[in-house]
């Protein structure tokens, strides 16, 4: 598998190698030792979530306050989604930047998000199912909601009609508004000095 850091620092795209034969195919979605080497620390799974969405459903941008934080590994296991990571960390070198990954069930591609990053996706097919491996159990009241249609972020959703969204997502503040309200995590409190300069390969990016 290939694990590469994305345009948002602390987000990694995991692309597995497929081994096809006459029965179909096999792939390793991720391996703990390889992910640990890329991240510089172990990723421990404490909770597993699934979401099922109709086509044109837009979920997010969602993050988690720190503490408790919640790193995630997100994979599409049915259907297809336009998956987006956004840096919500005040003071981060990539604050306000996003990166986009086309996730399709057959590809096995996954995206790992560090604490303090935001996640959103647009379902491209009916019955799209997303799997979330989470480093921490969810604590009620710790979710951060950011406007996915924030014009300053300008995420290229490619919408041709109004998306299906929850009332909470539709009413979420822009990134700038959330920063003004003190709702966002602070990069210096999240990232050890030893790894602040680490970078690997980067694909596709956007900037606030």
């Amino acid at each position: 598998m290939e694990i590469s850091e994305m345009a948002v620092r602390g987000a990694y795209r995991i692309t597995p190698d497929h081994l096809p034969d006459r029965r179909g195919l096999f792939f390793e979605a991720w391996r703990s030792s390889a992910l640990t080497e890329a991240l510089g620390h172990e990723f421990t799974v404490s909770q597993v979530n699934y979401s099922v969405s109709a086509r044109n459903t837009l979920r997010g941008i969602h993050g988690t306050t720190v503490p408790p934080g919640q790193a995630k590994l997100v994979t599409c296991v049915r259907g297809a989604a336009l998956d987006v990571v956004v840096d919500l960390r005040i003071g981060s070198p990539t604050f306000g930047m996003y990166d986009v990954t086309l996730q399709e069930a057959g590809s096995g591609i996954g995206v790992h998000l560090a604490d303090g990053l935001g996640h959103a996706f647009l379902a491209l097919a009916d019955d799209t199912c997303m799997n979330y491996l989470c480093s921490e159990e969810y604590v009620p009241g710790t979710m951060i909601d950011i406007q996915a249609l924030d014009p300053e972020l300008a995420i290229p959703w490619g919408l041709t009609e109004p998306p299906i969204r929850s009332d909470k997502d539709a009413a979420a503040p822009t990134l700038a508004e959330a920063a003004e309200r003190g709702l966002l995590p602070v990069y210096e409190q999240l990232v050890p000095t030893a790894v602040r300069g680490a970078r690997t390969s980067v694909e596709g990016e956007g900037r606030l």
Side-chain angles (χ1 to χ4, degrees):
M1 70 186 67
E2 178 186 356
I3 302 177
S4 57
E5 190 169 20
M6 299 164 66
V8 173
R9 184 171 293 189
Y12 289 81
R13 184 179 292 112
I14 305 169
T15 306
D17 295 324
H18 290 192
L19 303 174
D21 62 25
R22 64 177 178 273
R23 299 167 298 175
L25 61 84
F26 172 88
F27 61 84
E28 293 183 356
W30 66 284
R31 183 182 294 201
S32 179
S33 58
L35 190 57
T36 296
E37 182 178 357
L39 300 179
H41 60 84
E42 186 176 356
F43 174 58
T44 302
V45 178
S46 298
Q47 182 170 323
V48 181
N49 301 331
Y50 291 88
S51 66
V52 180
S53 304
R55 187 193 68 81
N56 201 45
T57 293
L58 180 57
R59 293 183 184 260
I61 304 165
H62 298 149
T64 307
T65 60
V66 182
Q70 191 181 63
K72 301 182 184 73
L73 200 165
V74 184
T75 310
C76 179
V77 295
R78 188 173 61 242
L82 196 66
D83 190 85
V84 175
V85 179
V86 182
D87 195 341
L88 307 181
R89 303 166 300 184
I90 297 291
S92 167
T94 56
F95 175 71
M97 292 180 65
Y98 64 81
D99 205 342
V100 181
T101 303
L102 175 61
Q103 291 216 35
E104 298 175 294
S107 72
I109 292 173
V111 173
H112 181 276
L113 300 81
D115 282 343
L117 300 183
H119 177 257
F121 73 87
L122 177 70
L124 303 178
D126 283 328
D127 204 30
T128 289
C129 183
M130 303 293 282
N131 169 244
Y132 311 77
L133 305 182
C134 304
S135 66
E136 305 292 337
E137 296 183 9
Y138 171 68
V139 178
T142 61
M143 182 177 286
I144 299 171
D145 300 299
I146 302 295
Q147 179 57 245
L149 302 182
D150 181 343
E152 291 190 78
L153 287 176
I155 297 170
W157 294 113
L159 295 167
T160 58
E161 58 185 309
I164 303 167
R165 297 204 284 172
S166 69
D167 292 342
K168 184 174 67 168
D169 284 354
T174 65
L175 185 63
E177 290 169 342
E180 290 173 3
R181 298 177 194 176
L183 302 178
L184 302 180
V186 177
Y187 181 74
E188 294 295 322
Q189 297 173 352
L190 291 169
V191 184
T193 302
V195 300
R196 282 181 191 144
R199 293 290 283 168
T200 57
S201 61
V202 172
E203 306 172 36
E205 62 184 78
R207 181 180 292 275
L208 178 63

